[in-house]
Amino acid sequence: MSQRSSKRGAGGGSRKQQTSSAPKIPDPNSPESFEKELKDLAAKAKEDTWAKHFTAQFTLYFNSIFLLSLAAAYSVVSQLALSPVYGSIPSARWHNYVTMAACFVGWSSNVPLYRVLPFNSPSHLLPVIALWIPTVQFFLFKLSGTFTAWYGPTITEGLTYFPLMTFTAACVATFTEQIDLSKLPLPKFIKDATPGLGSLAFFLFAESMFCKMLSIQVGESFVKTRMGAEIGLALPYAFAAPSKLLLWTVPALVHTALWNTHVQTPMALALLNSTLTANQWAILDRKESLTGYISVVESLEQGFRVLRCDHSLLGGEWIKIQAMPQFKDNVVGETIYGVFAMLEAVRLVKMPEPIRDSKAKALVIGMGVGTTPAALVAHGIDTTVVEIDPVVYEFAAKYFKLPKTVKTVIEDAVTYTDTLSSTDDGKETFDYIIHDVFTGGAEPIPLFTLEFLQTLEALLKPGGVIAINYAGDFSLPPPTVIIRTIRTVFPTCRIYREHEKPSSSSSETKADFDNIVIFCTKLTPDLLPQIEFRNPTERDYLNSPARRGFLVPKHEVFDADLGLAAPGKKEDWGILTANDTDKLARWHEESALGHWAIMRVVLPPVVWEKW
């Protein structure tokens, strides 16, 4: 019995051991299971909250950057769109103030806008405004003569660019207010200021990047033209904020596609010419390039042709004179501006060692329509022209009498001359240097600095002559500053105006805008006391009526005319250096405004306004 009991005990112990080693199924209703389930749900909820938070914050950043980038691009394009009608300098004059005002209004009124507007977000208005801008500009440009360059750019941007920037700022303000900066170890006042300051910093950075990009690539494709860029920037707005409000843009889109002559398409050019020919004008060709809107304009009634850059003219020729039997075989064009013939007088300057044309070399800074370089080549002078804008060269060769034998370098003049003057195998030097640059109502300031003139001095042979054309308002300090700078580099100079100085009684305004040519040499006064000109021969005139009238300089400018002889007057402005160009830029605004008024007399408003 004890033996059986022992076996049963052994068997029972074995079954109990097997039972205890089997997996234990947790009771779903036990406290442990309930606690574990709660922990799992909490972990999942935490993960979901973080993901949603990250997605929401990323969306806010993305939307803000997206809108600021579009606004920065539009800031650049808006000024470009104004420049053919008002010039680049007047167009930029108040632009930054318009931008700041729009940002302030939009940023400070974002909450009221959301409450007042009868739709979800002001962002739905952005594509509507952007798509209407080309059409509004088209009609406002017709009033440019009434607005003038003083107020026209501000009024135009106030009705186009300003509302776009205002609603952009309102949207960005709303987005950035929701950005969570609580975990940043910064004082509260910095956290409060960060969205606004950060948005401004990004906008300015993006604006500078777009400005650099467009200044190089403008005109390369349709979307990189003025109207093409405005249309191209409006489309992202429409895709980002679609709504039924876009139906209101249909009239604007139709007008831009069919009747806006500013659009760079063959159809728009044909439409433009159908309007202009009724006024006896025609556009032979046009392109947008890095120095501005370039076009070839011809007067069908008066018989001349000019090369336009924005709201200024680079030169022109008489077509009807060249068609006359006695002039049809001329190898040079008949300039409509006497100053370009006057520049050719560098050949007439009496030097101790006369310069033979067949042995001479000339460097011309600035192409224009090629009047001066064409004449130098006609006299047998080896001539090189430096022109920054390839379209200017293209149109000068295609529509004006620029000979193919002119060596043309498409490059910035500062870079090119620096390279020439610093070559290791000996720098190239020239007998004549012609400095003739002008665009947008004012000269490029870097090309009149002491440093650039010193580079030209290094490239001029000891017995050579340089002629510098400067167009400016004699009632303002810039001509005096430029002449003082030139005289600092070149010891012997003589200055002439294109036209006779107006008398105080005949001048309706104080402005005295004219072209002046400064003839200089490297020779000191003990070697060449004064620049004098020899009498021209028939060959010097090249059978040209304009050269007979303007080749020999007539209207000399003396120190007293510039205020240089009056102590304490204009000479206090000193000279122009590369690190002190603001002094000239300030006065260039006023000079450009005066130049705008002159251009409105040279060509009728319809030509400027319709591009």
Side-chain angles (χ1 to χ4, degrees), residues 46 75 144 149 195 199 221 278 290 298 349 371 375 389 393 448 488 497 606:
K46 188 176 180 180
S75 174
S144 61
S199 298
S221 62
L290 54 93
E298 185 166 317
V349 175
T371 300
D389 196 324
Y393 168 67
F448 287 89
T488 302
R497 298 172 59 117
V606 65

Side-chain angles (χ1 to χ4, degrees), residues 203-334:
F203 172 83
L204 294 175
F205 170 76
E207 185 184 39
S208 65
M209 292 296 101
F210 280 115
C211 185
K212 290 178 182 178
M213 182 188 73
L214 279 177
S215 65
I216 298 172
Q217 302 178 10
V218 63
E220 290 183 356
S221 62
F222 176 76
V223 294
K224 293 177 183 177
T225 63
R226 286 157 171 80
M227 291 299 104
E230 288 191 342
I231 297 168
L233 288 172
L235 295 180
Y237 282 121
F239 285 120
S243 70
K244 293 181 179 180
L245 292 174
L246 289 174
L247 293 174
W248 291 97
T249 66
V250 172
L253 290 171
V254 172
H255 178 271
T256 301
L258 300 180
W259 297 298
N260 194 328
T261 55
H262 305 153
V263 180
Q264 299 298 298
T265 61
M267 184 178 73
L269 179 58
L271 177 64
L272 172 59
N273 275 322
S274 67
T275 303
L276 293 181
T277 51
N279 295 278
Q280 296 299 307
W281 292 90
I283 306 294
L284 304 184
D285 207 343
R286 63 178 185 172
K287 285 186 179 181
E288 297 186 24
S289 193
L290 54 93
T291 60
Y293 168 80
I294 313 293
S295 65
V296 181
V297 185
E298 185 166 317
S299 171
L300 304 178
E301 181 181 11
Q302 301 177 63
F304 67 82
R305 185 180 295 173
V306 293
L307 184 61
R308 170 186 176 180
C309 177
D310 278 346
H311 203 278
S312 62
L313 300 178
L314 303 182
E317 294 177 353
W318 289 101
I319 304 302
K320 68 177 183 181
I321 293 179
Q322 294 172 185
M324 295 179 180
Q326 65 269 39
F327 304 119
K328 67 178 182 179
D329 294 328
N330 284 8
V331 294
V332 293
E334 190 62 25

Side-chain angles (χ1 to χ4, degrees), residues 26 36 49 75 113 126 137 187 208 242 288 298 309 360 362 380 386 402 411 418 429-430 434 460-461 475 529 558 568:
K36 184 177 184 303
T49 302
S75 174
L113 282 175
L126 292 175
Q137 287 174 338
S208 65
E288 297 186 24
E298 185 166 317
C309 177
V386 184
L402 178 69
E411 191 175 353
D418 281 344
T429 55
F430 301 89
I434 310 293
L460 186 66
K461 290 182 179 179
S475 66
F558 300 97

